Amino acid sequence: MTSIDQSGTFALGDRTVKRLGYGAMQLAGPGVFGPPKDQEAALAVLRQAVAAGVNHIDTSDFYGPHVTNKLIRQALAPYPDDLVIVTKIGARRGRGGAWLPAFSAEELTQAVHDNLRNLGLDVLEVVNLRIMFDAHGPAEGSIEAPLTALAELQQLGLVRQIGLSNVTAAQVTEGRRICDIVCVQNHYNLAHRADDALIDDLARDGIAYVPFFPLGGFTPLQSSTLSAIAQRLDATPMQVALAWLLRRAPNILLIPGTSSIAHLRENIAVAKINLPDDTLKDLDDMAEAFGSA
């Protein structure tokens, strides 16, 4: 058994993936805009991830834009049979890198074709519809129109499975009335736990939950308690935060991103970290303290 196998597996629709995957967002330039500073290093990270056993890669054609998908194709095509590439549509990049909504039927269709072309695929395995009523977080509103447009692309055979991103629990419920939803990708970590109830509901129904910004995103998690626990376990604080997510619920799939092979190896080593019950309680208590801060 390799290190990453110890993370376990979970269903992503009708595919099974290891719970520790890789997010490609950081392979683009600063602010997820433009090309990487070192293209060969970016390609090396992707190849090392797959060589280490990663079989779930998260990406989007609006990373760059068009940067990470082209890197994935250059590094990994022809793709291993067990590799599941999950992409996102519903946003576009404006001048200077602004994140803008793009979920008209025409924009979604164009985005699917862009992802197909740049990844070099005939069909996209999983497409997450990112809801952009508010770029900074989930906001209520009907998702029927854009999700119906994506479901029509699925019926055409361009998309196999559909997920949702940046959504509320009510939008997940609405979405599941329109089509099968195989995963939900939202902001969640030790300090940001608004989706606790949603995660548990999805787990009961066998639907994957994929936290983005699992380490805090552009503002990394910081806590003296977290640092002390990490020192006790001979791990880094970020490794402990990821290990807590693996223990939080069986349906959580991790996609930590990095542009560094050394950091990639640290992330993969998380699968071997055992959190004793007392440590887990300390982390849960810390999470509650974060939430009340």
Side-chain angles (χ1 to χ4, degrees), residues 218-229:
F218 300 115
T219 306
L221 296 173
Q222 293 185 357
S223 161
S224 58
T225 302
L226 182 59
S227 297
I229 290 172

Side-chain angles (χ1 to χ4, degrees), residues 3 11 31 36 39 45 57 77 87 104 115 195 207 220 235 240-241 255 263 290 293:
S3 172
Q39 178 164 315
V45 168
I57 291 179
T87 190
S104 68
N115 278 275
D195 275 358
I207 297 173
V240 173
I255 50 167
H263 189 202
F290 268 129

Side-chain angles (χ1 to χ4, degrees), residues 24 30 91 108 112 134 163 193 195 216-217 236 250 257-258 269 275-276 278 280 285:
L108 296 176
V112 163
D134 184 339
R193 298 189 57 179
D195 275 358
T236 70
T258 180
L275 296 178
D278 59 340
L280 190 62
D285 290 345

Side-chain angles (χ1 to χ4, degrees), residues 157-176:
L158 300 177
V159 173
R160 289 200 66 242
Q161 306 183 99
I162 292 174
L164 296 171
S165 178
N166 200 44
V167 286
T168 67
Q171 288 164 342
V172 174
T173 298
E174 180 187 23
R176 293 180 67 187

